Amino acid sequence: MSNQQKLGLFCLVGFSIFFIILMQVRLMPALIAGLLTYFLTLKLDSLLSKKMSRFGNKSKLLSVMLLLSIIMAIITIGSWYLFSWFINMAKHPVETMEAIHAIIDKVSQTLPEGIQSYLPDDMDQININITAYLKEHVFYLQSMATNAFHTLIILIVGMIIGLILGFKQQNRLDSYEDVPKTALVTALKASLDRLVMVFQYVVISQFFIAFFNAVMTAIFLFIILPIFGIHLPFSKSLVLATFVFGLIPIVGNLIVNVLMFFVGFTVSFYVAIIVLIYLILIHKMEYVLNAKIVGSKIEAGICELLIAMLFCETIFGVIGLVFAPIFYAFIKQSLKDLKLI
C-alpha cells in the first residue's frame, strides 16, 4: 500500500473506533443531530445564496437563524403541549378516570371473551390497578423520564454544534487553503467530507422512505380498508403523522405503529391486529428500500446493508440500527476511494 492508502486506512479505523465509542456511551444521537443540522445549514445556505443574491455573505447567518428558529419552535411547542396535557389531567382527575373507563369499556366490547376477563370491571378497580402499577414501577418510570430528558439535551447540544460548524464552514475552508497541508490533515479532511457525503445519502433515503410509508398508509386507510367496509377515524391525520414521524429513523415508525394500533382498537380488536400486521410488513419493506437507495449510491448490495443493519442492531441496539447505513456506507466508500476494494 502507498502512504496515502495507509493514512486513509488509519483515519478509517480511527473514525470507526470513535463511532463505536459514541454508540457505547449513548452519544450517537448527538452526532446524528449535529450532522443533520450541519448538512441542512450548508444546503440552505447554498439555496439562499443562489436564489437570493441580495443576501450576499449573510446567507449563512440567515440559514443558521432560520434552522435555529425552527428547532426552538418544535421543542417549545412540543414541550408546551405535553406540559399542558399533564396539567389538564392533574386538574381534572375525575374526568380523566372517567375517560379511561370509557375507553376500556369501548375496547373491551371489541375484545374476544377470553381476553375480556383480564380487564378491570369498575372504576375502583381501575384506580387500584393504576396506583399499584405506579408504586411498583416508580423508579423505572423515573429512569425513563431521566433518559428521555438526557437524550433531548444531547440532541439539542448536537444540533447547536452542527449549526456552529456549518456557520464557520467557509472560514475553515479559507484558513485551510492558507495553511500548508500535511498528508494526515488531508486524509482527515477527506474522511470528514466522505462522512458528510454518505450522511446526505441516508437523509435523502429517509425522506423517500417517509414518503413511501405515507403513500402505502394512505392506500391502506382510504382504499383497502373501505373495500371491506372498515373506516378508521383520523385517517388524514394518521397519514400526515406517518410522513412526519417517518422522517425519524426506526423510532418514528414505532410511534406511528402505536398510534395506528390504538386507533384500530377503537374499531375492533381484529382491525387493530390487521393494522399492526400491515404496518410490520410495510416497515420490513422499508429496510429493503433503505438498503436499495443507499446501496445504489455506494454500489453496495441490498444484502450487505441489511446484514450490517442486523449486526449493528444486535450489538448496539436501536441506535446501532439507525446508524448502521451511515456506518457501513462510510466504510465502503472509504475503501473504494482508497482503491482497497
mmCIF file of all heavy atoms in Angstrom, residues 82-107:
data_model
loop_
_atom_site.group_PDB
_atom_site.id
_atom_site.type_symbol
_atom_site.label_atom_id
_atom_site.label_comp_id
_atom_site.label_asym_id
_atom_site.label_seq_id
_atom_site.Cartn_x
_atom_site.Cartn_y
_atom_site.Cartn_z
ATOM 1 N N LEU A 82 -47.098 18.832 25.844
ATOM 2 C CA LEU A 82 -47.013 17.763 26.838
ATOM 3 C C LEU A 82 -47.291 18.294 28.242
ATOM 4 O O LEU A 82 -48.007 17.661 29.032
ATOM 5 C CB LEU A 82 -45.623 17.114 26.784
ATOM 6 C CG LEU A 82 -45.326 16.248 25.561
ATOM 7 C CD1 LEU A 82 -43.881 15.773 25.596
ATOM 8 C CD2 LEU A 82 -46.273 15.055 25.487
ATOM 9 N N PHE A 83 -46.727 19.452 28.552
ATOM 10 C CA PHE A 83 -46.940 20.048 29.879
ATOM 11 C C PHE A 83 -48.416 20.362 30.088
ATOM 12 O O PHE A 83 -48.975 20.077 31.159
ATOM 13 C CB PHE A 83 -46.091 21.319 30.002
ATOM 14 C CG PHE A 83 -46.207 21.994 31.336
ATOM 15 C CD1 PHE A 83 -45.560 21.476 32.452
ATOM 16 C CD2 PHE A 83 -46.970 23.142 31.482
ATOM 17 C CE1 PHE A 83 -45.667 22.098 33.691
ATOM 18 C CE2 PHE A 83 -47.093 23.771 32.714
ATOM 19 C CZ PHE A 83 -46.438 23.238 33.821
ATOM 20 N N SER A 84 -49.056 20.939 29.079
ATOM 21 C CA SER A 84 -50.474 21.273 29.186
ATOM 22 C C SER A 84 -51.319 20.016 29.358
ATOM 23 O O SER A 84 -52.302 20.007 30.116
ATOM 24 C CB SER A 84 -50.934 22.049 27.951
ATOM 25 O OG SER A 84 -50.201 23.240 27.797
ATOM 26 N N TRP A 85 -50.928 18.957 28.659
ATOM 27 C CA TRP A 85 -51.673 17.696 28.745
ATOM 28 C C TRP A 85 -51.596 17.113 30.157
ATOM 29 O O TRP A 85 -52.610 16.706 30.732
ATOM 30 C CB TRP A 85 -51.109 16.712 27.730
ATOM 31 C CG TRP A 85 -51.854 15.420 27.667
ATOM 32 C CD1 TRP A 85 -53.150 15.222 27.290
ATOM 33 C CD2 TRP A 85 -51.338 14.117 28.004
ATOM 34 N NE1 TRP A 85 -53.481 13.886 27.352
ATOM 35 C CE2 TRP A 85 -52.388 13.191 27.791
ATOM 36 C CE3 TRP A 85 -50.098 13.658 28.438
ATOM 37 C CZ2 TRP A 85 -52.215 11.834 28.011
ATOM 38 C CZ3 TRP A 85 -49.933 12.302 28.656
ATOM 39 C CH2 TRP A 85 -50.991 11.408 28.452
ATOM 40 N N PHE A 86 -50.394 17.100 30.739
ATOM 41 C CA PHE A 86 -50.238 16.570 32.096
ATOM 42 C C PHE A 86 -50.957 17.445 33.122
ATOM 43 O O PHE A 86 -51.578 16.937 34.058
ATOM 44 C CB PHE A 86 -48.751 16.458 32.451
ATOM 45 C CG PHE A 86 -48.083 15.249 31.866
ATOM 46 C CD1 PHE A 86 -47.075 15.382 30.928
ATOM 47 C CD2 PHE A 86 -48.464 13.977 32.254
ATOM 48 C CE1 PHE A 86 -46.460 14.275 30.385
ATOM 49 C CE2 PHE A 86 -47.856 12.852 31.716
ATOM 50 C CZ PHE A 86 -46.848 13.002 30.780
ATOM 51 N N ILE A 87 -50.863 18.770 32.950
ATOM 52 C CA ILE A 87 -51.532 19.679 33.878
ATOM 53 C C ILE A 87 -53.041 19.497 33.807
ATOM 54 O O ILE A 87 -53.737 19.481 34.831
ATOM 55 C CB ILE A 87 -51.153 21.148 33.565
ATOM 56 C CG1 ILE A 87 -49.692 21.398 33.918
ATOM 57 C CG2 ILE A 87 -52.053 22.107 34.324
ATOM 58 C CD1 ILE A 87 -49.364 21.252 35.378
ATOM 59 N N ASN A 88 -53.555 19.335 32.599
ATOM 60 C CA ASN A 88 -55.002 19.148 32.435
ATOM 61 C C ASN A 88 -55.467 17.850 33.097
ATOM 62 O O ASN A 88 -56.536 17.812 33.717
ATOM 63 C CB ASN A 88 -55.339 19.140 30.944
ATOM 64 C CG ASN A 88 -56.843 19.086 30.697
ATOM 65 O OD1 ASN A 88 -57.591 19.977 31.103
ATOM 66 N ND2 ASN A 88 -57.291 18.036 30.021
ATOM 67 N N MET A 89 -54.664 16.799 32.972
ATOM 68 C CA MET A 89 -55.008 15.540 33.626
ATOM 69 C C MET A 89 -54.990 15.693 35.149
ATOM 70 O O MET A 89 -55.856 15.155 35.851
ATOM 71 C CB MET A 89 -54.034 14.441 33.200
ATOM 72 C CG MET A 89 -54.196 13.976 31.767
ATOM 73 S SD MET A 89 -53.039 12.663 31.345
ATOM 74 C CE MET A 89 -53.511 11.389 32.496
ATOM 75 N N ALA A 90 -53.989 16.443 35.649
ATOM 76 C CA ALA A 90 -53.878 16.617 37.104
ATOM 77 C C ALA A 90 -55.014 17.476 37.657
ATOM 78 O O ALA A 90 -55.480 17.252 38.781
ATOM 79 C CB ALA A 90 -52.532 17.250 37.441
ATOM 80 N N LYS A 91 -55.478 18.455 36.888
ATOM 81 C CA LYS A 91 -56.541 19.350 37.351
ATOM 82 C C LYS A 91 -57.908 18.671 37.338
ATOM 83 O O LYS A 91 -58.801 19.058 38.086
ATOM 84 C CB LYS A 91 -56.587 20.602 36.478
ATOM 85 C CG LYS A 91 -55.472 21.595 36.760
ATOM 86 C CD LYS A 91 -55.650 22.850 35.906
ATOM 87 C CE LYS A 91 -54.599 23.897 36.239
ATOM 88 N NZ LYS A 91 -54.749 25.117 35.410
ATOM 89 N N HIS A 92 -58.073 17.696 36.464
ATOM 90 C CA HIS A 92 -59.379 17.042 36.327
ATOM 91 C C HIS A 92 -59.212 15.522 36.476
ATOM 92 O O HIS A 92 -59.378 14.771 35.509
ATOM 93 C CB HIS A 92 -60.012 17.368 34.967
ATOM 94 C CG HIS A 92 -60.090 18.842 34.690
ATOM 95 N ND1 HIS A 92 -59.090 19.533 34.061
ATOM 96 C CD2 HIS A 92 -61.066 19.747 34.973
ATOM 97 C CE1 HIS A 92 -59.435 20.810 33.948
ATOM 98 N NE2 HIS A 92 -60.625 20.966 34.502
ATOM 99 N N PRO A 93 -58.862 15.070 37.687
ATOM 100 C CA PRO A 93 -58.620 13.627 37.866
ATOM 101 C C PRO A 93 -59.867 12.783 37.650
ATOM 102 O O PRO A 93 -59.786 11.680 37.100
ATOM 103 C CB PRO A 93 -58.114 13.538 39.313
ATOM 104 C CG PRO A 93 -58.649 14.767 39.979
ATOM 105 C CD PRO A 93 -58.671 15.824 38.925
ATOM 106 N N VAL A 94 -61.033 13.295 38.082
ATOM 107 C CA VAL A 94 -62.267 12.520 37.927
ATOM 108 C C VAL A 94 -62.601 12.335 36.456
ATOM 109 O O VAL A 94 -62.906 11.214 35.997
ATOM 110 C CB VAL A 94 -63.432 13.204 38.671
ATOM 111 C CG1 VAL A 94 -64.717 12.430 38.442
ATOM 112 C CG2 VAL A 94 -63.120 13.308 40.157
ATOM 113 N N GLU A 95 -62.549 13.430 35.702
ATOM 114 C CA GLU A 95 -62.846 13.354 34.277
ATOM 115 C C GLU A 95 -61.845 12.450 33.547
ATOM 116 O O GLU A 95 -62.213 11.705 32.628
ATOM 117 C CB GLU A 95 -62.832 14.746 33.640
ATOM 118 C CG GLU A 95 -63.993 15.647 34.068
ATOM 119 C CD GLU A 95 -63.719 16.325 35.406
ATOM 120 O OE1 GLU A 95 -62.723 15.964 36.070
ATOM 121 O OE2 GLU A 95 -64.516 17.207 35.779
ATOM 122 N N THR A 96 -60.579 12.514 33.982
ATOM 123 C CA THR A 96 -59.557 11.672 33.363
ATOM 124 C C THR A 96 -59.859 10.195 33.593
ATOM 125 O O THR A 96 -59.777 9.376 32.659
ATOM 126 C CB THR A 96 -58.163 12.014 33.932
ATOM 127 O OG1 THR A 96 -57.873 13.386 33.659
ATOM 128 C CG2 THR A 96 -57.097 11.136 33.295
ATOM 129 N N MET A 97 -60.203 9.840 34.815
ATOM 130 C CA MET A 97 -60.505 8.446 35.118
ATOM 131 C C MET A 97 -61.767 7.993 34.393
ATOM 132 O O MET A 97 -61.847 6.838 33.936
ATOM 133 C CB MET A 97 -60.681 8.275 36.627
ATOM 134 C CG MET A 97 -59.419 8.552 37.451
ATOM 135 S SD MET A 97 -57.984 7.609 36.899
ATOM 136 C CE MET A 97 -58.561 5.951 37.136
ATOM 137 N N GLU A 98 -62.754 8.880 34.279
ATOM 138 C CA GLU A 98 -63.969 8.518 33.537
ATOM 139 C C GLU A 98 -63.662 8.292 32.061
ATOM 140 O O GLU A 98 -64.223 7.382 31.434
ATOM 141 C CB GLU A 98 -65.016 9.620 33.702
ATOM 142 C CG GLU A 98 -65.625 9.692 35.099
ATOM 143 C CD GLU A 98 -66.619 10.825 35.236
ATOM 144 O OE1 GLU A 98 -66.697 11.656 34.303
ATOM 145 O OE2 GLU A 98 -67.314 10.888 36.281
ATOM 146 N N ALA A 99 -62.770 9.107 31.523
ATOM 147 C CA ALA A 99 -62.393 8.934 30.118
ATOM 148 C C ALA A 99 -61.660 7.608 29.917
ATOM 149 O O ALA A 99 -61.897 6.893 28.931
ATOM 150 C CB ALA A 99 -61.512 10.102 29.661
ATOM 151 N N ILE A 100 -60.771 7.272 30.876
ATOM 152 C CA ILE A 100 -60.070 5.988 30.799
ATOM 153 C C ILE A 100 -61.064 4.833 30.882
ATOM 154 O O ILE A 100 -60.956 3.842 30.141
ATOM 155 C CB ILE A 100 -59.022 5.892 31.927
ATOM 156 C CG1 ILE A 100 -57.916 6.926 31.708
ATOM 157 C CG2 ILE A 100 -58.428 4.483 32.001
ATOM 158 C CD1 ILE A 100 -56.918 7.000 32.855
ATOM 159 N N HIS A 101 -62.030 4.976 31.773
ATOM 160 C CA HIS A 101 -63.041 3.933 31.934
ATOM 161 C C HIS A 101 -63.864 3.779 30.660
ATOM 162 O O HIS A 101 -64.183 2.650 30.245
ATOM 163 C CB HIS A 101 -63.947 4.278 33.113
ATOM 164 C CG HIS A 101 -64.883 3.170 33.475
ATOM 165 N ND1 HIS A 101 -66.207 3.161 33.107
ATOM 166 C CD2 HIS A 101 -64.677 2.022 34.168
ATOM 167 C CE1 HIS A 101 -66.786 2.061 33.553
ATOM 168 N NE2 HIS A 101 -65.886 1.354 34.204
ATOM 169 N N ALA A 102 -64.213 4.895 30.021
ATOM 170 C CA ALA A 102 -64.982 4.836 28.773
ATOM 171 C C ALA A 102 -64.184 4.142 27.678
ATOM 172 O O ALA A 102 -64.728 3.350 26.889
ATOM 173 C CB ALA A 102 -65.376 6.253 28.340
ATOM 174 N N ILE A 103 -62.871 4.438 27.616
ATOM 175 C CA ILE A 103 -62.018 3.789 26.606
ATOM 176 C C ILE A 103 -61.938 2.299 26.864
ATOM 177 O O ILE A 103 -62.026 1.478 25.935
ATOM 178 C CB ILE A 103 -60.608 4.426 26.624
ATOM 179 C CG1 ILE A 103 -60.669 5.869 26.134
ATOM 180 C CG2 ILE A 103 -59.645 3.615 25.758
ATOM 181 C CD1 ILE A 103 -59.360 6.627 26.260
ATOM 182 N N ILE A 104 -61.770 1.922 28.147
ATOM 183 C CA ILE A 104 -61.688 0.493 28.480
ATOM 184 C C ILE A 104 -62.990 -0.210 28.125
ATOM 185 O O ILE A 104 -62.992 -1.331 27.588
ATOM 186 C CB ILE A 104 -61.352 0.322 29.972
ATOM 187 C CG1 ILE A 104 -59.930 0.796 30.243
ATOM 188 C CG2 ILE A 104 -61.510 -1.139 30.397
ATOM 189 C CD1 ILE A 104 -59.531 0.747 31.696
ATOM 190 N N ASP A 105 -64.126 0.434 28.417
ATOM 191 C CA ASP A 105 -65.416 -0.164 28.065
ATOM 192 C C ASP A 105 -65.541 -0.377 26.566
ATOM 193 O O ASP A 105 -66.002 -1.428 26.100
ATOM 194 C CB ASP A 105 -66.556 0.736 28.550
ATOM 195 C CG ASP A 105 -66.771 0.620 30.046
ATOM 196 O OD1 ASP A 105 -66.292 -0.378 30.631
ATOM 197 O OD2 ASP A 105 -67.404 1.519 30.627
ATOM 198 N N LYS A 106 -65.109 0.644 25.800
ATOM 199 C CA LYS A 106 -65.234 0.537 24.351
ATOM 200 C C LYS A 106 -64.312 -0.535 23.797
ATOM 201 O O LYS A 106 -64.684 -1.308 22.912
ATOM 202 C CB LYS A 106 -64.919 1.895 23.705
ATOM 203 C CG LYS A 106 -65.204 1.932 22.215
ATOM 204 C CD LYS A 106 -65.101 3.353 21.670
ATOM 205 C CE LYS A 106 -65.471 3.378 20.189
ATOM 206 N NZ LYS A 106 -65.403 4.760 19.632
ATOM 207 N N VAL A 107 -63.085 -0.568 24.344
ATOM 208 C CA VAL A 107 -62.127 -1.573 23.879
ATOM 209 C C VAL A 107 -62.570 -2.977 24.280
ATOM 210 O O VAL A 107 -62.458 -3.925 23.493
ATOM 211 C CB VAL A 107 -60.720 -1.262 24.442
ATOM 212 C CG1 VAL A 107 -59.767 -2.427 24.187
ATOM 213 C CG2 VAL A 107 -60.160 0.010 23.823
#
